[in-house]
Amino acid sequence: MTRMVEFTLDGRQVSANEGELLVHAAARHGTFIPTLCHDDKLDPYGGCRMCVVDVEGAPRPMPACATRVDDGMVVSTNGSITDFQRTLTEMLLAEHLNASPGGRPNELLDLANELGAKAPLVLPDAKREEYDDRNQLMGYDPDACILCARCVRYTQEVMQCSALSLEGRGGHSRVVPTWGLSWLDTECELCGGCLSVCPTGAIYEKFEEGTKQPEHTLEQVRTTCTFCGVGCQIDLNLDPQTKHIVKVTSKDEYLPNEGNLCVKGRFAFNFVHHPDRLTRPLVRGVDGELRPTTWEHAIETAATGLKNVIAEHGPQSVGFLSSARLTNEENYLIQKLARTGVGTNSVHSCEST
């Protein structure tokens, strides 16, 4: 079992698991330490230094996202450290020319508002070369990027590929697909995971249709992705006025996917509002033509037809086709209907072929 240790946090005696990251231990005890480069999915990095704290006996402020708790440690998260965080925020704002190109949340601006930080000036060479990619799903604006490398590390540590890398030096550095190619020409699967971990919205959805609302104003409806049988949990983000889906997101606490999605789960939702999609059931009349009807009439017609076939030819004349896009629970109900309701074992799924 993990050994518990005692340490001092802003004058309070608290406990934590030995070796736990300081930023996590502080959060459990109600102390918020701001971070920009840190993400729970990724290994400790300590790049942005926004999470620095005073540790008694340390020669300099220590990054809480890369410092592990030790027995007897004395930690201070306020005082002069707040001034240090404000200065770091102002330095980042001096190169942060575009607040949020795709309307996504911007953690840097939120932190600046909380600390009362404003850019004292805009560096004359802050403008970075734009990156135009021919893929239709994701865009990247270097002037919104703070080079925290969360997206780069996500591709390497979570997706186990080298889709993104850092290019250039100093103020002209930017994140690009490996070798400066298009996202379509690298190992990238266009899952949008790099987009989901970006703290400033520098990587964003290109095709937000039907809304100009920022992400934090969208309504979220939790549901299960139906593109395969894994059962990933997703949030449908709806425009509050039109109620149209404008993007799909997921949260780290969702199981089984832990906030990760594939390209279909994140980007393939426009079919929901396609004009060719059926919105009412159709029943074929005596003339052979399909006509819109009510759900009650459609279900009654289907049930009557099944009963007539079973009565004339027996239950084994009826077969059920299921889909891997349904949840496990829905597939279970289909086979139960077939075996116990109709009396046939003829149940097939497209996943078996």
Side-chain angles (χ1 to χ4, degrees):
M1 294 181 64
T2 305
R3 186 171 74 95
M4 298 295 292
V5 297
E6 301 286 332
F7 73 104
T8 303
L9 178 64
D10 293 332
R12 297 179 295 143
Q13 284 293 119
V14 296
S15 61
N17 294 323
E18 185 178 25
E20 183 178 9
L21 289 175
L22 183 55
V23 66
H24 295 160
R28 286 195 299 102
H29 291 288
T31 299
F32 170 72
I33 300 177
T35 63
L36 288 176
C37 70
H38 179 69
D39 191 280
D40 291 344
K41 296 188 183 78
L42 308 177
D43 294 336
Y45 186 64
C48 71
R49 318 306 281 187
M50 194 61 63
C51 64
V52 290
V53 295
D54 274 328
V55 177
E56 189 174 278
R60 63 185 65 86
M62 303 294 290
C65 75
T67 301
R68 300 192 181 276
V69 175
D70 197 9
D71 198 17
M73 179 182 285
V74 179
V75 180
S76 174
T77 66
N78 46 41
S80 60
I81 283 297
T82 304
D83 295 331
F84 188 70
Q85 292 170 341
R86 185 180 298 108
T87 300
L88 285 172
T89 303
E90 291 173 348
M91 293 172 65
L92 290 173
L93 289 173
E95 295 185 316
H96 195 65
L97 305 185
N98 193 347
S100 186
R104 296 189 61 242
N106 191 317
E107 296 176 23
L108 174 61
L109 296 187
D110 292 342
L111 184 58
N113 291 332
E114 182 177 338
L115 296 173
K118 296 182 180 180
L121 53 89
V122 175
L123 296 179
D125 60 346
K127 183 70 176 177
R128 300 187 197 138
E129 182 183 355
E130 295 183 5
Y131 190 82
D132 187 24
D133 194 283
R134 73 177 191 277
N135 89 85
Q136 298 299 308
L137 302 180
M138 296 187 296
Y140 170 67
D141 189 330
D143 286 339
C145 179
I146 58 173
L147 301 175
C148 67
R150 268 162 70 166
C151 56
V152 177
R153 291 182 288 134
Y154 180 90
T155 62
Q156 296 172 349
E157 298 174 20
V158 178
M159 294 304 295
Q160 300 292 308
C161 69
S162 300
L164 297 176
S165 59
L166 289 167
E167 174 193 74
R169 299 180 65 84
H172 298 288
S173 300
R174 61 179 186 170
V175 174
V176 297
T178 305
W179 308 116
L181 303 173
S182 167
W183 262 288
L184 301 175
D185 299 324
T186 68
E187 297 179 59
C188 178
E189 298 178 359
L190 293 173
C191 68
C194 56
L195 180 153
S196 68
V197 299
C198 178
T200 61
I203 302 178
Y204 58 94
E205 296 93 339
K206 274 187 174 180
F207 60 97
E208 286 187 19
E209 297 178 353
T211 186
K212 294 185 180 297
Q213 303 291 333
E215 185 172 316
H216 67 86
T217 65
L218 301 178
E219 297 178 7
Q220 289 191 342
V221 178
R222 182 175 175 177
T223 187
T224 301
C225 179
T226 59
F227 276 107
C228 75
V230 172
C232 293
Q233 297 298 291
I234 60 176
D235 289 319
L236 302 179
N237 291 251
L238 312 179
D239 183 284
Q241 296 179 337
T242 65
K243 304 301 180 183
H244 276 210
I245 302 171
V246 295
K247 67 170 65 177
V248 173
T249 56
S250 186
K251 295 182 175 63
D252 293 348
E253 62 266 26
Y254 288 173
L255 295 176
N257 53 308
E258 298 180 331
N260 301 311
L261 295 173
C262 70
V263 60
K264 292 185 290 185
R266 189 179 300 277
F267 294 117
F269 59 82
N270 286 338
F271 70 91
V272 175
H273 304 296
H274 196 280
D276 292 340
R277 187 182 182 194
L278 295 178
T279 57
R280 296 177 60 188
L282 304 178
V283 168
R284 197 176 301 278
V286 293
D287 58 355
E289 296 294 327
L290 289 171
R291 290 184 172 82
T293 186
T294 64
W295 280 108
E296 291 77 9
H297 180 239
I299 293 173
E300 180 183 355
T301 301
T304 301
L306 276 174
K307 289 178 181 178
N308 292 338
V309 171
I310 294 170
E312 184 174 352
H313 303 286
Q316 292 302 323
S317 63
V318 178
F320 284 75
L321 294 177
S322 183
S323 171
R325 293 190 177 186
L326 301 178
T327 63
N328 290 338
E329 292 79 7
E330 289 167 329
N331 276 314
Y332 170 79
L333 291 175
I334 288 176
Q335 66 84 31
K336 187 174 183 179
L337 172 63
R339 292 186 168 96
T340 63
V342 175
T344 178
N345 290 320
S346 299
V347 184
H348 185 73
S349 171
C350 63
E351 184 69 8
S352 64
T353 57

